[in-house]
DNA sequence: ATTATTCATCGTAATATTGCAATGAACTTA
DNA sequence: TAAGTTCATTGCAATATTACGATGAATAAT
């Protein structure tokens, strides 16, 4: 039904999925990569840099901001976005727990 | 339009997004975690273990299989799934490149 | 052969996501 | 004040995703 049954999963599983979903669109990957590269914040160049319409970029930024991965501060008429370092590290910890699971070599297939 | 403009992104960005999308649903996270835990394959216990209908689990398995993260081999009347170790390591490398970006402390906000 | 088991596939309904044009809010500059 | 800049929000159309009942295919057991 297009709706995810979050209530049947653990908090950890839902958290992993939520972070992963944020990275599940190349535009958001590109935004984050650009924020890392330019580092000292940026503003509307993302629209030019990425090539999607301004409302679309704004929407992706909103999702990342809601998750807490980026912060934005008003800078006159423009807005200055940057990675939220603390949250990023917290996210990495959560994702690592999932990605770094031990692989035993007794696979069957 | 519900459709992602993959053509305007780099191959790497699309690859990251594709892997991340696979982890963007708690059911698929749970499936992978269970496959790691049980290790030597499993079959239909996933349905019982997770609590979604059999066609739903089957659909999630298909997505993971299409991505190559899991393999399945017929075992009589049941099917034996397991992590594709090589692909999993390859995925980890791709995701690490993205997640382990250097954080400079000259953030603006 | 018939029945049971296990899993995939099909079809469908409900909801979510992606994308953009139009518009609005807030500030800057002329 | 008026016009320009920058970004958010609204509203909408198109497509994607999630979930499941019904059904089908393949093998196993009786």
């Amino acid at each position: 039904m297009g709706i995810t049954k979050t209530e049947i999963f653990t908090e950890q599983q839902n958290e992993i999925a939520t972070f992963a979903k944020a990275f599940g669109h190349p535009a958001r990957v590109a935004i984050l990569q650009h924020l890392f590269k330019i580092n000292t914040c940026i503003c509307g160049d993302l629209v030019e840099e990425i090539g999607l319409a301004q409302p679309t970029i704004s929407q992706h930024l909103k999702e990342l901001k809601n998750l807490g991965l980026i912060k934005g501060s008003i800078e006159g008429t423009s807005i200055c976005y940057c990675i939220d370092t603390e949250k990023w590290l917290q996210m990495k910890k959560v994702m690592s727990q999932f990605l770094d699971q031990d692989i035993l070599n007794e696979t069957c297939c």
Side-chain angles (χ1 to χ4, degrees), chain A residues 5-39:
Chain A
K5 287 189 156 183
T6 53
E7 69 278 6
I8 66 173
F9 301 102
T10 68
E11 212 170 309
Q12 190 217 15
Q13 287 164 342
N14 284 316
E15 196 180 12
I16 292 168
T18 301
F19 281 130
K21 201 189 275 186
F23 304 142
H25 193 289
R28 291 189 290 268
V29 171
I31 287 173
L32 290 165
Q33 284 180 331
H34 198 66
L35 282 175
F36 270 113
K37 198 170 99 192
I38 303 299
N39 176 45

Side-chain angles (χ1 to χ4, degrees), chain A residues 9-98:
Chain A
F9 301 102
T10 68
E11 212 170 309
Q12 190 217 15
Q13 287 164 342
N14 284 316
E15 196 180 12
I16 292 168
T18 301
F19 281 130
K21 201 189 275 186
F23 304 142
H25 193 289
R28 291 189 290 268
V29 171
I31 287 173
L32 290 165
Q33 284 180 331
H34 198 66
L35 282 175
F36 270 113
K37 198 170 99 192
I38 303 299
N39 176 45
T40 164
C41 316
I42 59 142
C43 333
D45 356 62
L46 278 171
V47 176
E48 226 183 316
E49 176 77 16
I50 293 182
L52 287 172
Q54 180 266 318
T56 308
I57 296 291
S58 193
Q59 198 175 307
H60 286 304
L61 284 169
K62 190 180 175 185
E63 284 176 58
L64 293 172
K65 206 165 59 178
N66 283 344
L67 241 183
L69 288 173
I70 64 175
K71 291 183 289 187
S73 60
I74 300 175
E75 198 85 16
T77 160
S78 62
I79 290 188
C80 183
Y81 284 106
C82 62
I83 304 286
D84 185 323
T85 306
E86 207 172 320
K87 187 77 177 184
W88 184 267
L89 292 176
Q90 187 203 318
M91 174 280 294
K92 270 180 59 171
K93 203 183 263 177
V94 172
M95 292 305 285
S96 293
Q97 268 184 22
F98 173 66

